[in-house]
Amino acid sequence: MAKSKGSPSNKKGQVRSYTSKLRNIGIIAHIDAGKTTVSERILYYSGKEHRIGAVDEGTATMDWRPEEQERGITITSAATSLNWGEYRINLIDTPGHVDFTAEVERSLRVLDGAVGIFCGVGGVEAQSETVWRQANRYQVPRIAFVNKLDRTGADFYRVIESMRERLNANPVPVQIPFGIEKEFQGTVDLIEMKLIRYDEASQGSDLIYEEVPEELAEDAAKWREFMIETAAEFDDDLLNSYLEDGDVSPEAIRSALRAGTLSQKIQPLLCGTALKNKGVQPLLDAVCSYLPAPEDIEIVEGLHPRSEDGITRKLVPDEYFSALAFKSDVDSHGTLTYLRIYSGVLKAGGQVLNVTQNERERIQKLFLMHSNERTQLEEAQAGDIVGVVGLRTTATGDTLSDTKHPILFEALRFPETVIAMAIEPRSIADRDKLLEAIELLGKDDPTFRSQLDEDTGQLVVSGMGELHLEVIKGRLLREFKVDARVGKPRVAYRETLQGEGRGSAVFEKLVGQKNHYAQIVVQVSHDDDLEGTEVVNKLSKETVPLEYHPDIEEGVRGAIESGGSYGFPLIHVRAEIVDGDFRQGDGSSVAYATAASQALSDAISKLSTVILEPIMRFEVQVPEEYYGSVVNDFNKRRAVVGETDLAGDIRLVRGTVPLAEVFGYTTVLRSLTQGRASISMEPETYAQVPPDVQAKFEY
């Protein structure tokens, strides 16, 4: 249990003194921009690893799961801790594939800063926009790194423009490249005005500083002026010195750039090619120079769980303990829960309060994580990101706190699933194993859902995309040894109501010698502002005793989960419990839960419902010669083709399309373009299906 107010000790084995030399950062980007390659170089140059892991060879430290090594992509976010000079950096490498965007969401929720990686050829791609929006939502300061500048078609300055246009970002180059494509040799540091080359014999470990080449002097001077003028907006002294003396010190520039970064008004921009071992050490320096320490964040806000009054915690050790559980790593052996400690001290063996569940938890073991490797700790403190074993009730998004001084943080929110498939165990024994595995995977992955189809008796699981379900299927078979038949993926449709209506129900039944009675009235309505559903209890304790209110709410939620007229889950629906009746001596939990469920069903039956389908936002990169064929094909699939850009001889096509129309579209696209085009898609919204599609579901 964390200590309350008091100074931390500096004695050996006790609490470390709090320091400003800590950085909690995430690596975020579109798939194939080079996030994990950058992370692997960071581990190597910091001395955390003594060899450079390779994604293509399946030897990347941060991609440790078999599914990641086989596919060559990051699927789950992996955490590590490393030292860079006098700084300690807690780093999370996040996935870039849209199917695993929840991993980015929950990582950014607890991180203080982020590094956005952009491909020097592709620039801002579809998932780049998604992760940038996520960082905006959580107000995470960022720096950026343009990677792969040695690739054919790379253009550093085009990436700057695309960041401004598509992200509404304000990138401020603190480096420019020396050479491009196969001629890329190094970078020019605009703060020190030095050329940096990377010694190939030492795998880029040795940096060679030279004077700026004459052919780059004019460009370097122009971009340095832009950098200083932008930095001066955040430091009046810098502006005055620049106007009076015509130049300023590197320390003053970094200080001003840091102020602008912390205000989230600028993003210092660096460049290189991680695969060729160029540009990573200056990126680490930039992380330490510009991204925030916990003390720069100062406080974290929350609510008191009972009064719901706003309260805060300072991000220091001598505060009451508070933390957020942002990730669970589940396998057949148990659960490892990842915590971001915001305040106070956490000790192995101590007791904490799960404020979300109102349950006490004991910290059995505490670990500092390095990918899937664990180093046991006796304690951790404010600012740390750690793994914990022994939590029984804690799930992703739950708040942990000092048992006597609770605080509740805002929970994590995840998008609706868009694709589903049926799973059937091959035997009765496998059914029990399957249900247990499904429960564990749901705790691990909040975007993985399951429910029983009452009509067919099948277990239906849903996720964020075809790859997501493929990975889930692989884990069921490999990790949990479940022998099951798996159906083909299908669209996860939803329903919503039209208009608003009222329903009521009376439950009265004699069971044994006791009469069970309850009456409930429910009002339901459509609400576009709701992503899912909301249950509002307007009953007073005089109408129905408070002890039955949770049962009533649970009954309404259960009826909502059962779906609408077509059996699909409801979204954009608000249910208000507006009235009821109580008879002394006849009330019971079962009666009120049943009456509430029946009242909700009665209200729904009086309204028409419409089927909603997931709409995907897509981006296709296609050679100009195939552009017409691809656009024509999309038009046949109910797509709305929006903006198009031309980058060299590659056309970027963006728009939206119903998911039902693009199952397995990668194969079609390859056929149309002789394998020369690529596509990325992500869920955009749910929209009403056309009448002819809805008619297919009528029965």
Side-chain angles (χ1 to χ4, degrees):
M1 184 169 60
K3 289 182 178 179
S4 58
K5 304 285 185 178
S7 299
S9 169
N10 289 320
K11 293 180 181 180
K12 184 177 180 181
Q14 296 190 19
V15 184
R16 301 187 307 271
S17 61
Y18 186 72
T19 173
S20 63
K21 305 298 185 181
L22 174 63
R23 301 291 182 268
N24 288 313
I25 67 165
I27 308 292
I28 60 174
H30 182 88
I31 190 171
D32 286 337
K35 294 180 311 306
T36 302
T37 302
V38 170
S39 298
E40 292 297 318
R41 269 52 180 186
I42 287 175
L43 296 179
Y44 178 71
Y45 294 128
S46 67
K48 186 72 176 183
E49 289 286 332
H50 300 293
R51 62 167 181 82
I52 298 177
V55 175
D56 294 341
E57 297 173 5
T59 59
T61 302
M62 303 301 275
D63 287 349
W64 61 272
R65 288 188 179 276
E67 297 86 4
E68 295 175 314
Q69 294 170 350
E70 290 171 1
R71 299 173 186 274
I73 62 171
T74 302
I75 292 173
T76 61
S77 52
T80 188
S81 181
L82 55 99
N83 294 318
W84 185 245
E86 59 183 342
Y87 290 85
R88 184 162 65 87
I89 299 173
N90 293 325
L91 181 148
I92 296 181
D93 178 31
T94 67
H97 196 286
V98 62
D99 284 16
F100 310 106
T101 189
E103 292 286 332
V104 186
E105 186 83 17
R106 57 187 179 183
S107 297
L108 285 172
R109 172 67 175 80
V110 299
L111 291 170
D112 301 329
V115 179
I117 308 293
F118 297 91
C119 174
V121 180
V124 175
E125 299 170 274
Q127 190 68 2
S128 308
E129 295 184 61
T130 300
V131 298
W132 203 262
R133 286 198 307 269
Q134 289 171 307
N136 285 341
R137 181 160 59 251
Y138 292 116
Q139 299 183 347
V140 177
R142 276 143 281 173
I143 63 176
F145 181 77
V146 181
N147 194 26
K148 301 187 177 183
L149 288 179
D150 60 317
R151 294 268 300 273
T152 301
D155 188 332
F156 175 73
Y157 302 103
R158 187 176 68 227
V159 176
I160 294 175
E161 289 305 311
S162 64
M163 288 181 67
R164 290 170 177 164
E165 293 172 4
R166 296 185 60 181
L167 303 179
N168 196 28
N170 188 11
V172 180
V174 295
Q175 294 179 335
I176 60 173
F178 176 39
I180 200 70
E181 297 181 337
K182 65 180 181 180
E183 301 299 326
F184 179 74
Q185 300 177 54
T187 56
V188 173
D189 182 339
L190 299 176
I191 297 177
E192 300 286 350
M193 284 302 278
K194 293 288 185 181
L195 171 66
I196 307 175
R197 294 182 187 269
Y198 301 85
D199 179 51
E200 294 184 6
S202 65
Q203 290 187 296
S205 294
D206 296 332
L207 277 58
I208 304 165
Y209 294 86
E210 302 175 356
E211 295 302 314
V212 177
E214 186 176 342
E215 64 267 29
L216 266 181
E218 185 177 343
D219 276 349
K222 180 187 73 172
W223 284 105
R224 176 179 168 82
E225 183 179 8
F226 171 77
M227 175 189 67
I228 293 175
E229 289 177 352
T230 303
E233 297 176 19
F234 307 98
D235 190 326
D236 291 339
D237 292 338
L238 176 69
L239 177 61
N240 293 334
S241 297
Y242 184 60
L243 293 176
E244 292 174 6
D245 305 330
D247 203 3
V248 287
S249 69
E251 292 74 18
I253 297 173
R254 292 190 183 97
S255 176
L257 289 172
R258 177 177 174 80
T261 305
L262 297 188
S263 71
Q264 300 168 59
K265 293 181 179 178
I266 65 170
Q267 298 83 38
L269 182 66
L270 298 93
C271 58
T273 170
L275 186 64
K276 298 296 178 62
N277 308 317
K278 297 174 182 176
V280 176
Q281 296 96 320
L283 177 62
L284 276 167
D285 291 337
V287 165
C288 301
S289 294
Y290 308 126
L291 292 180
E295 67 180 22
D296 294 309
I297 310 298
E298 294 185 347
I299 62 169
V300 62
E301 298 178 346
L303 299 174
H304 192 283
R306 289 185 290 275
S307 68
E308 296 190 355
D309 292 335
I311 51 178
T312 62
R313 291 282 185 269
K314 293 180 181 179
L315 274 66
V316 295
D318 56 338
E319 254 278 19
Y320 300 121
F321 167 74
S322 67
L324 186 74
F326 68 95
K327 173 180 167 66
S328 295
D329 192 357
V330 177
D331 59 26
S332 55
H333 303 292
T335 301
L336 176 75
T337 304
Y338 287 78
L339 304 181
R340 162 65 195 268
I341 302 175
Y342 284 106
S343 60
V345 178
L346 180 65
K347 292 190 175 184
Q351 195 174 74
V352 298
L353 176 67
N354 181 327
V355 185
T356 309
Q357 309 294 340
N358 194 28
E359 295 278 354
R360 292 199 177 208
E361 295 269 33
R362 185 167 295 281
I363 308 299
Q364 291 182 5
K365 292 182 179 179
L366 191 62
F367 299 102
L368 183 67
M369 300 303 299
H370 174 48
S371 188
N372 62 328
E373 298 176 6
R374 308 176 183 184
T375 300
Q376 192 162 343
L377 302 172
E378 291 302 314
E379 64 185 23
Q381 66 172 33
D384 285 339
I385 294 175
V386 295
V388 172
V389 170
L391 303 183
R392 297 174 295 102
T393 62
T394 301
T396 296
D398 286 357
T399 303
L400 302 181
S401 80
D402 182 285
T403 55
K404 295 181 180 179
H405 302 91
I407 183 173
L408 182 63
F409 297 137
E410 181 183 358
L412 287 155
R413 297 179 182 178
F414 299 102
E416 288 288 327
T417 56
V418 298
I419 191 170
M421 68 181 182
I423 298 182
E424 293 181 346
R426 294 184 184 274
S427 68
I428 297 298
D430 281 313
R431 179 176 178 81
D432 294 337
K433 288 172 63 178
L434 175 62
L435 293 176
E436 182 181 357
I438 292 293
E439 182 180 355
L440 288 172
L441 289 173
K443 187 175 181 180
D444 185 359
D445 183 352
T447 58
F448 172 64
R449 317 276 170 80
S450 64
Q451 67 180 54
L452 189 66
D453 188 317
E454 295 182 358
D455 293 330
T456 65
Q458 289 180 315
L459 183 66
V460 177
V461 297
S462 57
M464 298 306 300
E466 293 178 77
L467 179 58
H468 187 195
L469 292 186
E470 277 291 317
V471 169
I472 291 293
K473 181 175 73 173
R475 293 191 65 188
L476 284 171
L477 300 176
R478 190 199 314 254
E479 290 182 33
F480 296 94
K481 306 294 190 293
V482 175
D483 190 7
R485 291 184 293 268
V486 180
K488 292 182 178 180
R490 61 179 188 261
V491 174
Y493 291 99
R494 296 288 185 266
E495 285 182 67
T496 194
L497 306 176
Q498 290 187 312
E500 61 180 55
R502 178 173 292 220
S504 63
V506 176
F507 180 89
E508 186 167 13
K509 190 172 184 178
L510 185 64
V511 180
Q513 301 300 313
K514 178 174 172 55
N515 188 52
H516 294 257
Y517 170 84
Q519 180 177 354
I520 292 296
V521 181
V522 175
Q523 180 88 17
V524 294
S525 59
H526 176 87
D527 188 342
D528 273 328
D529 292 334
L530 287 175
E531 290 186 10
T533 58
E534 182 180 47
V535 176
V536 180
N537 188 355
K538 293 187 173 181
L539 290 177
S540 67
K541 62 182 179 181
E542 288 78 19
T543 304
V544 176
L546 290 176
E547 63 182 286
Y548 299 119
H549 286 206
D551 304 303
I552 296 168
E553 294 170 19
E554 190 61 32
V556 170
R557 290 193 181 94
I560 288 175
E561 291 172 3
S562 296
S565 304
Y566 299 93
F568 299 122
L570 291 164
I571 60 173
H572 307 319
V573 170
R574 173 177 280 103
E576 298 179 348
I577 307 164
V578 295
D579 202 0
D581 188 29
F582 170 73
R583 288 184 190 168
Q584 188 68 40
D586 288 347
S588 72
S589 296
V590 172
Y592 277 106
T594 305
S597 176
Q598 293 174 349
L600 192 281
S601 298
D602 181 51
I604 291 176
S605 69
K606 297 174 181 177
L607 301 174
S608 60
T609 63
V610 295
I611 298 174
L612 305 177
E613 63 180 343
I615 304 297
M616 310 298 286
R617 180 161 60 98
F618 70 84
E619 179 179 282
V620 176
Q621 297 186 16
V622 56
E624 179 71 10
E625 61 192 283
Y626 300 108
Y627 167 69
S629 299
V630 170
V631 169
N632 287 337
D633 186 66
F634 266 108
N635 287 334
K636 295 174 185 176
R637 298 172 183 271
R638 297 193 283 131
V640 177
V641 177
E643 58 183 300
T644 63
D645 292 326
L646 190 62
D649 63 346
I650 299 295
R651 179 74 68 169
L652 304 178
V653 184
R654 305 182 190 97
T656 57
V657 63
L659 175 60
E661 299 286 349
V662 286
F663 262 101
Y665 190 71
T666 301
T667 302
V668 176
L669 187 63
R670 287 181 185 141
S671 176
L672 286 172
T673 64
Q674 297 184 12
R676 295 175 60 192
S678 63
I679 184 171
S680 59
M681 289 185 286
E682 64 175 347
E684 173 81 358
T685 187
Y686 270 86
Q688 184 174 345
V689 300
D692 62 316
V693 175
Q694 179 147 338
K696 296 177 182 178
F697 295 93
E698 301 286 352
Y699 55 88

